Amino acid sequence: MKTRADLFAFLDAHAIAHSTLDHPPVFRVEEGLEIKAAMPGGHTKNLFLKDAKGQLWLISALGETVIDLKRLHTVIGSGRLSFGPEAMMVETLGVRPGSVTAFGLINDTDRRVRFVLDAALARADPVNFHPLGNNATTAVSQEGLRAFLSALGIRPMIVDFEAMTVVS
């Protein structure tokens, strides 16, 4: 599994500018108001899910976005969704609960996880994610996020969670 240092080396190798703020571990969106104040842009919540068909999903959204998990499967074309088991999270994304992040996709070399990006987060700039651990926050531009995903060969499904529709 790739480490924080590996992630930063990957970002550097792809000319993706990034800045990181180290801080005490944060486990929930509601925590870390001082971090949000210190770092502009979209702060995220990230959900690792598994559907009834066994497909793994990673949802990255603005922290304040409301996600209706009971209806989401009809929007994204999945089986019913539930939170994915910790062992699968560690195996595919290389992170533990509380540290789920889009940057974890760097560890999903078999591309087992489908990535859903909140339309509101897709408009935020910069965007802030944990760098594979919840004791820091790393900011990249929206262009940098897209370059990161492209370098991994990932095209996100973009969902407007307010309208509950796929927009891209």
Side-chain angles (χ1 to χ4, degrees):
M1 286 291 145
K2 301 226 182 319
T3 65
R4 173 178 158 164
D6 296 328
L7 170 65
F8 292 163
F10 182 89
L11 295 174
D12 291 342
H14 290 88
I16 300 170
H18 55 96
S19 63
T20 298
L21 174 67
D22 291 304
H23 52 71
V26 176
F27 294 92
R28 295 187 337 264
V29 171
E30 299 81 24
E31 297 178 67
L33 294 177
E34 67 283 351
I35 298 162
K36 292 175 181 78
M39 297 184 78
H43 290 268
T44 60
K45 67 177 167 189
N46 298 275
L47 306 176
F48 180 73
L49 307 170
K50 181 180 177 187
D51 73 20
K53 301 173 187 173
Q55 175 64 55
L56 301 175
W57 297 84
L58 174 61
I59 313 287
S60 289
L62 281 177
E64 58 271 14
T65 297
V66 176
I67 300 173
D68 184 348
L69 289 178
K70 291 182 179 172
R71 289 183 44 217
L72 183 58
H73 71 280
T74 63
V75 175
I76 63 174
S78 72
R80 289 202 177 272
L81 295 160
S82 60
F83 288 97
E86 180 177 351
M88 284 187 147
M89 179 188 303
V90 172
E91 180 183 319
T92 57
L93 299 179
V95 297
R96 300 213 173 272
S99 297
V100 179
T101 171
F103 289 141
L105 293 167
I106 196 170
N107 286 314
D108 184 25
T109 55
D110 294 333
R111 298 293 163 252
R112 293 174 51 196
V113 179
R114 296 200 53 202
F115 183 53
V116 176
L117 182 63
D118 175 13
L121 184 60
R123 292 187 299 271
D125 197 25
V127 291
N128 300 287
F129 294 97
H130 290 311
L132 306 177
N134 65 355
N135 60 348
T137 299
T138 296
V140 296
S141 67
Q142 188 60 231
E143 181 181 321
L145 174 61
R146 299 305 174 106
F148 170 76
L149 295 171
S150 179
L152 295 175
I154 295 171
R155 187 171 188 272
M157 177 187 300
I158 300 176
V159 172
D160 179 333
F161 287 102
E162 191 172 313
M164 288 302 279
T165 60
V166 174
V167 294
S168 169

